[in-house]
Amino acid sequence: MTISIEEFNPGPSDHNVLCVDVCGTLYNQNTTADFVKFHHDIVGNRLRKFFLNLISGERNPLVYAMVLIGKVIKKDIHRDLSIFSLKGEARSSLQNSSRLYVLHLKKYEIRPIHSFVERMRKEGWKPILVSNSLDIVIEAIAEQMSVDMVASKLSWSNHWCTGHIATDLTGEKRRHVELLLGLSLSAINCAVVTDNRSDSDLIAVSTAAWLVAKKSCRKWMAAYPEADIVII
C-alpha cells in the first residue's frame, strides 16, 4: 500500500526491534562517498579529493564505465576506490572527521523519517541503525541519536586505515543484527524502514516494513505487497 508521509503512522505495536537504514532513509546522501570527500577536505588531501571528483558526478563516462564493469564483476568499484583513498589515514583523524561530518549531515536529514524513528522509540521500540556505510561514520550518527548500530567495518593496521573493508554488510544485514542481539530475528518482533532493495534479508524476516521512496514507488517494492510504501 502506498501512503503519504502524513499517513506514515505506526500505531500501537508489540514489535520491539526497528532496523533503520541510513543512506537514503535517514539522510538524503551516500554517506560513504560523501564522508570520504569531506575527510579529504578537512585534512587537505587535495590530490585524493581531485581523484574522487574525477570519478564522480552525473553524466560522467567514467562513472558509467565503472557501473557496467561493476555489474559484471559484482563489485561497487566507486565505493572500493573511495575507501581505498583512505589508505594511510590515522584512526584518530578519521574519528575526528566523522564527528564533524555528523554536523555536516544535518542539512541532509530526511526529517519525517527521523521523527518517525523517534515516535517508534517512544512507543517502546528499539531502533538499530543498520548500514552498509562505514562503521566510523555510523558510530558517530548512532552516538548522536543514542541508538545501537551495525555497519561495514574499516580495516586497520596499527591504527592506520588499510583502505579496505574488513567486514561488508552488503546483503548480510540480518546476520549482523542477529550477532549484535545474540538471537534470531525470526524469534522476536522485528520491523524495518529502508529504501534499499538489498535489504531483502531484513524485509523477509520482519513482521512490518516501511519502504521509503522518493516521489514515486520503485518497481522492486511491488515484491512486498504487505509493506507500506512511504513517499517522501
Side-chain angles (χ1 to χ4, degrees), residues 88-148:
E89 297 298 296
R91 187 194 296 266
S92 58
S93 177
L94 288 170
Q95 287 174 330
N96 180 64
S97 291
S98 68
R99 288 189 288 269
L100 295 173
Y101 181 65
V102 172
L103 302 177
H104 164 80
L105 265 183
K106 195 78 177 174
K107 61 185 176 183
Y108 297 106
E109 281 185 0
I110 302 176
R111 286 306 314 161
I113 308 301
H114 277 265
S115 297
F116 170 73
V117 172
E118 189 56 35
R119 293 205 314 268
M120 295 284 271
R121 192 209 306 254
K122 290 178 180 177
E123 292 187 12
W125 294 53
K126 175 184 174 65
I128 300 175
L129 302 188
V130 187
S131 177
N132 297 332
S133 188
L134 303 178
D135 56 344
I136 201 162
V137 175
I138 305 305
E139 283 172 357
I141 296 172
E143 181 178 354
Q144 183 190 61
M145 295 178 65
S146 299
V147 298
D148 289 333

Side-chain angles (χ1 to χ4, degrees), residues 207-220:
T207 52
W210 293 274
L211 308 181
V212 180
K214 295 177 183 176
K215 298 182 180 179
S216 62
C217 180
R218 297 165 68 182
K219 290 182 179 179
W220 66 266

Side-chain angles (χ1 to χ4, degrees), residues 63-83:
V63 174
Y64 290 134
M66 286 190 297
V67 170
L68 290 174
I69 296 171
K71 287 181 178 180
V72 174
I73 64 175
K74 297 182 179 180
K75 287 278 189 179
D76 187 336
I77 297 174
H78 186 274
R79 177 177 184 248
D80 289 348
L81 289 175
S82 293
I83 295 169

